[in-house]
Amino acid sequence: MIAKNRLKASVLFMASFAVFSGCSLDEILSVDVPGKVLEEALDNAALADVLTTGVVAEVECSWNQYVAGAAHHSDEYVPTSGNLTMRNWGQRKIYASDAGYAQGTCGGWGYPMFTPLHTARFQAEDVATRLAGFPADEVADLASKQATAATWGAFPLVAMGEGFCRMAIDGGSAMQPAEVQAEAEQRFSSAISLAQAAGDETLTMQGMLGRARVRIAKGDYAGAIADASQIPDGFAVNVTRDNAEPRRYNYYFERLNAPTGFRAHGSLADNYQNLTIGADGMPMDGGDGVKDTRVNARTDGTLAADFATTLYYHDKYNSRGDPLPLVHWHEARMFEAEALAMQGDVAGALGKINGLRMAAGLPEVTADVSAGQIVDLVKEERRRQLFVLGGHRLHDMLRFDIPFLGEPGSIHPNGLDQTGAEYGDVTCFQLPEVEVKGNENISS
Protein backbone atom coordinates (compact mmCIF):
# COMPACT_ATOMS: atom_id res chain seq x y z
CA MET A 1 0.00 0.00 0.00
CA ILE A 2 2.81 2.43 0.88
CA ALA A 3 4.69 1.61 -2.31
CA LYS A 4 1.53 2.10 -4.42
CA ASN A 5 0.84 5.47 -2.85
CA ARG A 6 4.41 6.62 -3.43
CA LEU A 7 4.26 5.43 -7.04
CA LYS A 8 0.94 7.26 -7.55
CA ALA A 9 2.41 10.48 -6.15
CA SER A 10 5.46 10.15 -8.40
CA VAL A 11 3.32 9.62 -11.50
CA LEU A 12 1.12 12.61 -10.64
CA PHE A 13 4.21 14.78 -10.20
CA MET A 14 5.64 13.65 -13.53
CA ALA A 15 2.31 14.25 -15.26
CA SER A 16 2.21 17.82 -13.91
CA PHE A 17 5.80 18.36 -14.99
CA ALA A 18 4.92 17.16 -18.50
CA VAL A 19 2.05 19.67 -18.80
CA PHE A 20 4.13 22.67 -17.76
CA SER A 21 7.29 21.71 -19.61
CA GLY A 22 5.78 20.60 -22.88
CA CYS A 23 7.23 17.09 -22.53
CA SER A 24 5.13 14.00 -23.06
CA LEU A 25 4.53 11.66 -20.14
CA ASP A 26 5.67 8.74 -22.31
CA GLU A 27 9.07 10.39 -22.74
CA ILE A 28 9.51 10.82 -19.00
CA LEU A 29 8.39 7.30 -18.13
CA SER A 30 10.75 5.83 -20.72
CA VAL A 31 13.84 7.44 -19.18
CA ASP A 32 16.41 4.86 -18.14
CA VAL A 33 17.24 5.57 -14.48
CA PRO A 34 20.97 5.04 -13.85
CA GLY A 35 22.00 3.14 -10.76
CA LYS A 36 18.99 0.84 -10.68
CA VAL A 37 20.11 -2.72 -9.96
CA LEU A 38 18.10 -5.82 -10.73
CA GLU A 39 17.86 -8.23 -7.82
CA GLU A 40 19.45 -11.10 -9.73
CA ALA A 41 22.49 -8.92 -10.41
CA LEU A 42 23.32 -9.13 -6.70
CA ASP A 43 23.97 -12.86 -7.01
CA ASN A 44 27.52 -12.11 -8.03
CA ALA A 45 30.47 -13.23 -5.96
CA ALA A 46 32.39 -10.14 -7.07
CA LEU A 47 29.94 -8.04 -5.02
CA ALA A 48 30.58 -9.87 -1.73
CA ASP A 49 32.53 -6.95 -0.23
CA VAL A 50 29.92 -4.41 -1.29
CA LEU A 51 27.04 -6.50 0.04
CA THR A 52 28.70 -7.06 3.41
CA THR A 53 29.64 -3.40 3.77
CA GLY A 54 26.04 -2.51 2.97
CA VAL A 55 24.79 -4.61 5.88
CA VAL A 56 27.09 -2.82 8.31
CA ALA A 57 26.03 0.58 6.95
CA GLU A 58 22.30 -0.15 7.32
CA VAL A 59 22.69 -1.49 10.86
CA GLU A 60 24.82 1.52 11.82
CA CYS A 61 22.19 3.94 10.54
CA SER A 62 19.24 2.20 12.20
CA TRP A 63 21.13 1.82 15.49
CA ASN A 64 22.13 5.50 15.50
CA GLN A 65 18.50 6.57 15.07
CA TYR A 66 17.09 4.10 17.59
CA VAL A 67 19.47 4.84 20.45
CA ALA A 68 19.20 8.63 20.09
CA GLY A 69 15.42 8.42 19.91
CA ALA A 70 15.35 6.08 22.90
CA ALA A 71 17.44 8.57 24.91
CA HIS A 72 15.14 11.47 23.99
CA HIS A 73 12.09 9.40 24.94
CA SER A 74 13.62 8.28 28.27
CA ASP A 75 14.13 10.37 31.40
CA GLU A 76 17.67 11.36 30.35
CA TYR A 77 16.33 14.49 28.64
CA VAL A 78 13.52 16.97 29.19
CA PRO A 79 11.74 18.29 26.06
CA THR A 80 12.98 21.69 24.88
CA SER A 81 12.31 21.79 21.15
CA GLY A 82 10.61 24.57 19.25
CA ASN A 83 9.56 22.02 16.62
CA LEU A 84 6.29 20.10 17.09
CA THR A 85 7.62 16.73 15.93
CA MET A 86 10.66 16.92 18.16
CA ARG A 87 8.60 18.13 21.12
CA ASN A 88 6.36 15.11 20.62
CA TRP A 89 9.41 12.85 20.90
CA GLY A 90 10.41 14.46 24.19
CA GLN A 91 6.85 14.57 25.51
CA ARG A 92 6.05 10.88 24.93
CA LYS A 93 3.56 11.62 22.14
CA ILE A 94 4.93 9.51 19.29
CA TYR A 95 2.05 7.12 18.71
CA ALA A 96 1.43 4.19 16.37
CA SER A 97 -0.15 6.52 13.82
CA ASP A 98 2.95 8.72 13.45
CA ALA A 99 4.09 8.31 9.83
CA GLY A 100 7.65 9.59 10.37
CA TYR A 101 8.34 7.18 13.19
CA ALA A 102 6.84 4.23 11.31
CA GLN A 103 7.73 4.88 7.67
CA GLY A 104 10.60 7.36 7.76
CA THR A 105 13.93 6.19 6.44
CA CYS A 106 17.50 6.65 7.60
CA GLY A 107 18.37 10.32 7.79
CA GLY A 108 14.72 11.32 8.06
CA TRP A 109 13.29 13.93 10.39
CA GLY A 110 12.81 12.96 14.01
CA TYR A 111 13.99 9.45 14.81
CA PRO A 112 12.57 7.07 12.18
CA MET A 113 12.92 3.60 13.69
CA PHE A 114 10.61 0.92 12.43
CA THR A 115 11.51 0.93 8.73
CA PRO A 116 15.29 1.41 9.21
CA LEU A 117 15.48 -1.42 11.76
CA HIS A 118 13.58 -3.79 9.49
CA THR A 119 15.57 -2.67 6.45
CA ALA A 120 18.80 -3.48 8.27
CA ARG A 121 17.44 -6.80 9.53
CA PHE A 122 16.14 -7.87 6.11
CA GLN A 123 19.29 -6.79 4.28
CA ALA A 124 21.45 -8.79 6.69
CA GLU A 125 19.33 -11.90 6.15
CA ASP A 126 19.26 -11.44 2.37
CA VAL A 127 23.00 -10.90 2.12
CA ALA A 128 23.70 -13.89 4.36
CA THR A 129 21.67 -16.07 1.99
CA ARG A 130 23.51 -14.73 -1.06
CA LEU A 131 26.92 -15.17 0.56
CA ALA A 132 26.09 -18.77 1.40
CA GLY A 133 25.57 -19.42 -2.30
CA PHE A 134 28.91 -17.99 -3.45
CA PRO A 135 31.77 -20.41 -4.19
CA ALA A 136 34.42 -20.13 -1.47
CA ASP A 137 37.22 -20.01 -4.06
CA GLU A 138 35.72 -16.86 -5.61
CA VAL A 139 35.42 -14.75 -2.44
CA ALA A 140 38.31 -13.79 -0.19
CA ASP A 141 37.53 -14.36 3.50
CA LEU A 142 34.02 -15.59 2.70
CA ALA A 143 33.56 -17.10 6.16
CA SER A 144 34.39 -13.78 7.82
CA LYS A 145 31.93 -11.94 5.56
CA GLN A 146 29.20 -14.41 6.48
CA ALA A 147 29.99 -13.90 10.16
CA THR A 148 29.91 -10.12 9.69
CA ALA A 149 26.45 -10.15 8.11
CA ALA A 150 25.09 -12.48 10.78
CA THR A 151 26.63 -10.62 13.74
CA TRP A 152 25.68 -7.09 12.71
CA GLY A 153 22.29 -8.29 11.50
CA ALA A 154 21.30 -9.50 14.98
CA PHE A 155 21.48 -6.03 16.55
CA PRO A 156 18.25 -4.61 15.07
CA LEU A 157 16.47 -7.39 16.96
CA VAL A 158 18.02 -6.15 20.21
CA ALA A 159 16.34 -2.79 19.67
CA MET A 160 13.08 -4.42 18.63
CA GLY A 161 13.04 -6.63 21.73
CA GLU A 162 13.98 -3.90 24.20
CA GLY A 163 12.19 -0.76 23.08
CA PHE A 164 8.98 -1.92 21.42
CA CYS A 165 5.75 -3.10 23.05
CA ARG A 166 5.43 -5.81 20.41
CA MET A 167 6.90 -6.57 17.02
CA ALA A 168 6.13 -8.35 13.75
CA ILE A 169 8.71 -9.81 11.40
CA ASP A 170 8.12 -10.40 7.68
CA GLY A 171 4.34 -10.19 7.97
CA GLY A 172 4.17 -12.70 10.80
CA SER A 173 2.01 -12.55 13.91
CA ALA A 174 2.64 -10.09 16.71
CA MET A 175 5.59 -11.05 18.91
CA GLN A 176 6.03 -10.04 22.53
CA PRO A 177 9.44 -8.64 23.64
CA ALA A 178 10.49 -11.97 25.17
CA GLU A 179 9.85 -13.71 21.85
CA VAL A 180 11.92 -11.15 19.96
CA GLN A 181 14.71 -11.51 22.50
CA ALA A 182 14.66 -15.30 22.08
CA GLU A 183 14.98 -14.83 18.32
CA ALA A 184 17.87 -12.40 18.86
CA GLU A 185 19.65 -14.89 21.11
CA GLN A 186 19.39 -17.60 18.45
CA ARG A 187 20.79 -15.29 15.82
CA PHE A 188 23.69 -14.23 18.02
CA SER A 189 24.46 -17.88 18.77
CA SER A 190 24.58 -18.68 15.06
CA ALA A 191 26.72 -15.60 14.41
CA ILE A 192 29.16 -16.55 17.17
CA SER A 193 29.58 -20.00 15.64
CA LEU A 194 30.29 -18.47 12.23
CA ALA A 195 32.78 -15.99 13.72
CA GLN A 196 34.60 -18.71 15.63
CA ALA A 197 34.77 -20.87 12.50
CA ALA A 198 36.21 -17.90 10.61
CA GLY A 199 38.76 -17.29 13.38
CA ASP A 200 37.50 -13.73 13.81
CA GLU A 201 38.01 -12.82 17.47
CA THR A 202 36.51 -9.33 17.22
CA LEU A 203 33.28 -10.58 15.67
CA THR A 204 33.13 -13.39 18.22
CA MET A 205 33.33 -10.96 21.14
CA GLN A 206 30.90 -8.57 19.44
CA GLY A 207 28.39 -11.39 19.17
CA MET A 208 28.99 -12.53 22.74
CA LEU A 209 28.43 -9.03 24.09
CA GLY A 210 25.23 -8.73 22.07
CA ARG A 211 24.06 -12.11 23.36
CA ALA A 212 24.94 -11.17 26.95
CA ARG A 213 22.68 -8.14 26.60
CA VAL A 214 19.81 -10.31 25.39
CA ARG A 215 20.41 -12.86 28.15
CA ILE A 216 20.28 -10.15 30.83
CA ALA A 217 16.93 -9.05 29.40
CA LYS A 218 15.70 -12.64 29.62
CA GLY A 219 16.94 -13.11 33.19
CA ASP A 220 19.49 -15.74 32.15
CA TYR A 221 22.14 -14.58 34.60
CA ALA A 222 24.48 -17.57 34.26
CA GLY A 223 24.41 -17.23 30.48
CA ALA A 224 25.00 -13.49 30.65
CA ILE A 225 28.04 -13.95 32.90
CA ALA A 226 29.41 -16.70 30.64
CA ASP A 227 29.37 -14.30 27.68
CA ALA A 228 30.23 -11.00 29.37
CA SER A 229 33.19 -12.49 31.22
CA GLN A 230 34.85 -13.20 27.85
CA ILE A 231 34.98 -9.47 27.03
CA PRO A 232 38.26 -7.79 28.01
CA ASP A 233 38.45 -4.27 29.40
CA GLY A 234 38.85 -1.78 26.58
CA PHE A 235 36.89 -3.75 23.97
CA ALA A 236 34.43 -1.76 21.85
CA VAL A 237 32.88 -1.81 18.39
CA ASN A 238 31.67 1.58 17.20
CA VAL A 239 28.99 2.79 14.84
CA THR A 240 30.87 5.13 12.53
CA ARG A 241 29.48 8.62 11.82
CA ASP A 242 30.60 11.60 9.72
CA ASN A 243 29.55 14.99 8.38
CA ALA A 244 28.89 13.85 4.82
CA GLU A 245 25.09 13.65 4.76
CA PRO A 246 22.15 13.51 7.21
CA ARG A 247 21.94 9.72 7.34
CA ARG A 248 25.57 9.68 8.50
CA TYR A 249 25.19 12.28 11.26
CA ASN A 250 25.51 11.31 14.91
CA TYR A 251 21.89 11.83 15.99
CA TYR A 252 22.76 12.18 19.67
CA PHE A 253 24.67 15.32 18.69
CA GLU A 254 22.51 16.52 15.84
CA ARG A 255 19.21 16.28 17.70
CA LEU A 256 20.16 16.64 21.36
CA ASN A 257 23.69 17.55 22.31
CA ALA A 258 24.76 20.43 20.10
CA PRO A 259 25.57 23.25 22.56
CA THR A 260 23.37 25.75 20.73
CA GLY A 261 19.69 26.48 20.81
CA PHE A 262 19.34 25.60 17.10
CA ARG A 263 19.46 21.83 17.55
CA ALA A 264 18.69 21.64 21.26
CA HIS A 265 15.55 19.54 21.07
CA GLY A 266 16.26 18.21 24.55
CA SER A 267 18.20 19.27 27.61
CA LEU A 268 19.73 16.95 30.21
CA ALA A 269 17.09 16.30 32.83
CA ASP A 270 17.45 17.97 36.23
CA ASN A 271 18.36 14.74 37.99
CA TYR A 272 21.33 14.19 35.64
CA GLN A 273 22.85 17.64 36.08
CA ASN A 274 24.64 17.35 39.41
CA LEU A 275 25.44 13.71 40.10
CA THR A 276 28.14 13.09 42.69
CA ILE A 277 29.70 10.27 44.73
CA GLY A 278 29.96 10.37 48.52
CA ALA A 279 32.97 9.68 50.71
CA ASP A 280 31.85 6.05 51.10
CA GLY A 281 31.48 5.64 47.36
CA MET A 282 27.69 5.68 47.40
CA PRO A 283 25.90 7.64 44.64
CA MET A 284 24.59 11.08 45.54
CA ASP A 285 22.67 13.86 43.83
CA GLY A 286 24.49 17.11 44.66
CA GLY A 287 25.98 17.76 48.06
CA ASP A 288 29.71 17.89 48.69
CA GLY A 289 30.55 14.63 46.97
CA VAL A 290 32.97 14.04 44.11
CA LYS A 291 31.56 14.99 40.71
CA ASP A 292 30.51 11.90 38.76
CA THR A 293 32.27 12.51 35.45
CA ARG A 294 30.41 9.67 33.73
CA VAL A 295 27.53 12.16 33.37
CA ASN A 296 29.48 15.33 32.81
CA ALA A 297 26.66 17.87 32.54
CA ARG A 298 27.58 21.38 31.48
CA THR A 299 25.87 24.63 30.52
CA ASP A 300 26.87 28.11 29.44
CA GLY A 301 23.49 29.51 30.40
CA THR A 302 22.11 29.45 26.84
CA LEU A 303 18.40 28.86 26.47
CA ALA A 304 17.32 25.81 24.49
CA ALA A 305 15.15 26.01 21.37
CA ASP A 306 12.00 26.53 23.44
CA PHE A 307 13.49 29.85 24.70
CA ALA A 308 12.40 28.87 28.21
CA THR A 309 14.69 26.10 29.48
CA THR A 310 18.38 26.50 30.28
CA LEU A 311 20.27 24.10 28.02
CA TYR A 312 22.38 21.40 29.65
CA TYR A 313 24.45 19.03 27.53
CA HIS A 314 27.32 16.56 28.02
CA ASP A 315 30.74 15.72 26.60
CA LYS A 316 30.23 12.28 25.07
CA TYR A 317 29.22 13.31 21.54
CA ASN A 318 30.55 16.65 20.37
CA SER A 319 30.14 16.63 16.59
CA ARG A 320 28.16 15.08 13.79
CA GLY A 321 31.12 12.84 13.06
CA ASP A 322 31.67 11.40 16.54
CA PRO A 323 31.28 7.59 16.57
CA LEU A 324 28.97 5.94 19.07
CA PRO A 325 29.20 2.48 20.60
CA LEU A 326 27.43 -0.56 19.24
CA VAL A 327 28.97 -2.66 22.01
CA HIS A 328 31.30 -1.53 24.79
CA TRP A 329 33.18 -3.24 27.59
CA HIS A 330 31.42 -1.06 30.17
CA GLU A 331 28.25 -2.95 29.25
CA ALA A 332 29.96 -6.27 29.87
CA ARG A 333 31.02 -5.30 33.40
CA MET A 334 27.55 -3.95 34.18
CA PHE A 335 25.92 -7.14 32.86
CA GLU A 336 28.16 -9.12 35.19
CA ALA A 337 27.39 -6.81 38.12
CA GLU A 338 23.65 -7.11 37.54
CA ALA A 339 23.74 -10.87 37.14
CA LEU A 340 25.81 -11.30 40.29
CA ALA A 341 23.59 -8.93 42.28
CA MET A 342 20.43 -10.72 41.16
CA GLN A 343 21.96 -13.96 42.41
CA GLY A 344 22.84 -12.46 45.78
CA ASP A 345 26.61 -12.17 45.25
CA VAL A 346 27.16 -8.73 46.81
CA ALA A 347 30.96 -8.90 46.85
CA GLY A 348 31.12 -10.03 43.24
CA ALA A 349 28.79 -7.26 42.06
CA LEU A 350 30.75 -4.63 44.01
CA GLY A 351 33.97 -5.90 42.46
CA LYS A 352 32.62 -5.20 38.96
CA ILE A 353 31.29 -1.77 39.98
CA ASN A 354 34.55 -0.79 41.62
CA GLY A 355 36.54 -1.93 38.61
CA LEU A 356 34.57 0.50 36.46
CA ARG A 357 34.90 3.24 39.09
CA MET A 358 38.67 2.77 39.16
CA ALA A 359 38.88 2.97 35.37
CA ALA A 360 36.93 6.25 35.47
CA GLY A 361 39.09 7.70 38.25
CA LEU A 362 36.15 7.76 40.68
CA PRO A 363 35.93 6.68 44.35
CA GLU A 364 35.23 3.00 44.94
CA VAL A 365 32.30 1.82 47.03
CA THR A 366 33.53 1.24 50.58
CA ALA A 367 30.13 1.35 52.29
CA ASP A 368 28.68 -1.79 53.82
CA VAL A 369 26.18 -2.70 51.12
CA SER A 370 23.56 -5.28 52.08
CA ALA A 371 21.96 -7.95 49.94
CA GLY A 372 18.83 -5.81 49.95
CA GLN A 373 20.69 -2.75 48.64
CA ILE A 374 22.93 -4.21 45.96
CA VAL A 375 20.29 -4.44 43.20
CA ASP A 376 19.29 -0.80 43.67
CA LEU A 377 22.95 0.19 43.59
CA VAL A 378 23.41 -1.70 40.31
CA LYS A 379 20.41 0.08 38.80
CA GLU A 380 21.83 3.46 39.78
CA GLU A 381 25.26 2.53 38.46
CA ARG A 382 23.69 1.51 35.16
CA ARG A 383 21.97 4.90 34.97
CA ARG A 384 25.33 6.63 35.28
CA GLN A 385 27.76 4.22 33.61
CA LEU A 386 25.55 3.61 30.57
CA PHE A 387 24.30 7.18 30.24
CA VAL A 388 23.42 7.94 26.56
CA LEU A 389 25.01 4.65 25.57
CA GLY A 390 23.13 2.11 23.49
CA GLY A 391 19.54 2.84 24.51
CA HIS A 392 19.97 1.10 27.86
CA ARG A 393 18.10 3.67 29.93
CA LEU A 394 14.80 3.20 28.08
CA HIS A 395 15.03 -0.56 28.49
CA ASP A 396 15.84 -0.20 32.19
CA MET A 397 12.82 2.06 32.67
CA LEU A 398 10.57 -0.52 31.06
CA ARG A 399 11.91 -3.62 32.81
CA PHE A 400 12.44 -2.04 36.25
CA ASP A 401 9.20 0.01 36.20
CA ILE A 402 11.05 3.32 36.55
CA PRO A 403 8.60 6.24 36.20
CA PHE A 404 8.66 8.10 32.90
CA LEU A 405 8.62 11.89 32.81
CA GLY A 406 5.09 13.03 33.55
CA GLU A 407 4.37 10.05 35.83
CA PRO A 408 4.26 10.09 39.64
CA GLY A 409 7.74 9.46 41.00
CA SER A 410 9.50 11.28 38.15
CA ILE A 411 10.89 14.82 38.29
CA HIS A 412 7.66 15.92 36.56
CA PRO A 413 5.07 14.00 38.62
CA ASN A 414 1.98 16.03 37.69
CA GLY A 415 1.93 15.15 33.99
CA LEU A 416 3.38 18.48 32.85
CA ASP A 417 6.87 19.35 31.66
CA GLN A 418 8.98 22.26 32.94
CA THR A 419 7.09 24.70 30.69
CA GLY A 420 3.63 23.48 31.70
CA ALA A 421 3.02 21.43 28.54
CA GLU A 422 1.29 18.08 28.92
CA TYR A 423 3.08 14.74 28.48
CA GLY A 424 1.63 11.87 26.49
CA ASP A 425 1.42 8.28 27.76
CA VAL A 426 3.79 6.33 25.49
CA THR A 427 6.23 4.08 27.32
CA CYS A 428 7.44 1.31 25.00
CA PHE A 429 7.31 2.15 21.28
CA GLN A 430 4.09 0.99 19.68
CA LEU A 431 3.75 -1.32 16.71
CA PRO A 432 2.98 1.15 13.90
CA GLU A 433 -0.59 1.41 12.68
CA VAL A 434 0.53 0.82 9.10
CA GLU A 435 1.91 -2.60 10.13
CA VAL A 436 -1.22 -3.52 12.06
CA LYS A 437 -3.51 -2.59 9.15
CA GLY A 438 -1.32 -4.12 6.47
CA ASN A 439 -0.49 -7.39 8.23
CA GLU A 440 -3.22 -10.01 7.86
CA ASN A 441 -1.72 -11.99 10.77
CA ILE A 442 -2.36 -9.18 13.28
CA SER A 443 -5.96 -8.60 14.26
CA SER A 444 -5.53 -5.37 16.22
Side-chain angles (χ1 to χ4, degrees), residues 105-238:
T105 57
C106 268
W109 184 237
Y111 306 97
M113 292 184 183
F114 187 77
T115 293
L117 286 169
H118 276 290
T119 298
R121 174 196 60 79
F122 173 81
Q123 186 162 329
E125 294 166 4
D126 181 69
V127 168
T129 300
R130 295 180 193 280
L131 290 173
F134 293 161
D137 60 352
E138 294 183 19
V139 180
D141 299 320
L142 177 58
S144 183
K145 290 179 175 61
Q146 290 175 303
T148 298
T151 304
W152 282 83
F155 281 92
L157 288 160
V158 173
M160 293 176 188
E162 288 187 357
F164 288 78
C165 308
R166 55 179 183 159
M167 185 50 61
I169 296 176
D170 292 335
S173 58
M175 301 169 68
Q176 297 303 305
E179 296 175 284
V180 182
Q181 289 157 3
E183 178 68 22
E185 182 177 17
Q186 287 185 345
R187 297 196 187 201
F188 277 122
S189 294
S190 296
I192 291 166
S193 295
L194 288 170
Q196 289 173 332
D200 194 317
E201 187 176 359
T202 296
L203 281 174
T204 298
M205 290 191 291
Q206 181 179 335
M208 284 185 170
L209 195 38
R211 189 171 65 179
R213 179 167 177 166
V214 173
R215 286 177 167 176
I216 276 289
K218 293 175 60 185
D220 177 7
Y221 302 127
I225 290 173
D227 281 341
S229 63
Q230 302 299 309
I231 310 303
D233 288 358
F235 179 78
V237 174
N238 285 329

Side-chain angles (χ1 to χ4, degrees), residues 36-368:
K36 229 175 186 181
V37 179
L38 296 177
E39 182 180 353
E40 55 266 28
L42 298 177
D43 289 324
N44 182 347
L47 296 177
D49 276 336
V50 174
L51 293 171
T52 307
T53 300
V55 170
V56 174
E58 288 298 333
V59 174
E60 285 188 328
C61 191
S62 65
W63 189 258
N64 173 50
Q65 298 196 165
Y66 170 75
V67 297
H72 199 168
H73 181 66
S74 76
D75 69 347
E76 291 178 325
Y77 289 89
V78 295
T80 60
S81 183
N83 174 276
L84 179 59
T85 297
M86 299 306 294
R87 282 197 71 83
N88 285 343
W89 273 101
Q91 290 175 336
R92 301 171 52 218
K93 293 178 181 176
I94 296 296
Y95 299 103
S97 58
D98 189 282
Y101 150 70
Q103 297 158 232
T105 57
C106 268
W109 184 237
Y111 306 97
M113 292 184 183
F114 187 77
T115 293
L117 286 169
H118 276 290
T119 298
R121 174 196 60 79
F122 173 81
Q123 186 162 329
E125 294 166 4
D126 181 69
V127 168
T129 300
R130 295 180 193 280
L131 290 173
F134 293 161
D137 60 352
E138 294 183 19
V139 180
D141 299 320
L142 177 58
S144 183
K145 290 179 175 61
Q146 290 175 303
T148 298
T151 304
W152 282 83
F155 281 92
L157 288 160
V158 173
M160 293 176 188
E162 288 187 357
F164 288 78
C165 308
R166 55 179 183 159
M167 185 50 61
I169 296 176
D170 292 335
S173 58
M175 301 169 68
Q176 297 303 305
E179 296 175 284
V180 182
Q181 289 157 3
E183 178 68 22
E185 182 177 17
Q186 287 185 345
R187 297 196 187 201
F188 277 122
S189 294
S190 296
I192 291 166
S193 295
L194 288 170
Q196 289 173 332
D200 194 317
E201 187 176 359
T202 296
L203 281 174
T204 298
M205 290 191 291
Q206 181 179 335
M208 284 185 170
L209 195 38
R211 189 171 65 179
R213 179 167 177 166
V214 173
R215 286 177 167 176
I216 276 289
K218 293 175 60 185
D220 177 7
Y221 302 127
I225 290 173
D227 281 341
S229 63
Q230 302 299 309
I231 310 303
D233 288 358
F235 179 78
V237 174
N238 285 329
V239 166
T240 61
R241 300 288 86 196
D242 62 45
N243 300 314
E245 57 174 334
R247 68 173 277 133
R248 292 283 298 160
Y249 294 166
N250 179 319
Y251 267 29
Y252 275 123
F253 175 82
E254 183 68 12
R255 299 287 190 256
L256 294 167
N257 204 52
T260 69
F262 178 68
R263 299 187 192 92
H265 299 298
S267 175
L268 288 190
D270 299 11
N271 55 333
Y272 284 85
Q273 293 174 11
N274 193 25
L275 297 179
T276 58
I277 297 172
D280 59 357
M282 294 300 284
M284 297 171 58
D285 189 351
D288 57 359
V290 174
K291 181 177 176 60
D292 194 333
T293 52
R294 295 173 296 183
V295 185
N296 195 15
R298 53 184 65 183
T299 184
D300 59 8
T302 302
L303 292 181
D306 63 1
F307 298 108
T309 306
T310 300
L311 176 63
Y312 280 82
Y313 53 99
H314 57 81
D315 61 352
K316 287 194 174 181
Y317 309 112
N318 301 300
S319 77
R320 287 172 170 173
D322 278 6
L324 55 99
L326 179 74
V327 293
H328 197 284
W329 70 275
H330 291 171
E331 297 172 292
R333 302 293 85 86
M334 286 311 307
F335 294 154
E336 291 177 291
E338 180 178 339
L340 291 165
M342 291 294 187
Q343 296 177 104
D345 186 347
V346 176
L350 285 175
K352 302 302 177 183
I353 290 171
N354 283 335
L356 287 166
R357 292 276 192 90
M358 185 182 301
L362 295 170
E364 297 181 24
V365 179
T366 57
D368 185 12

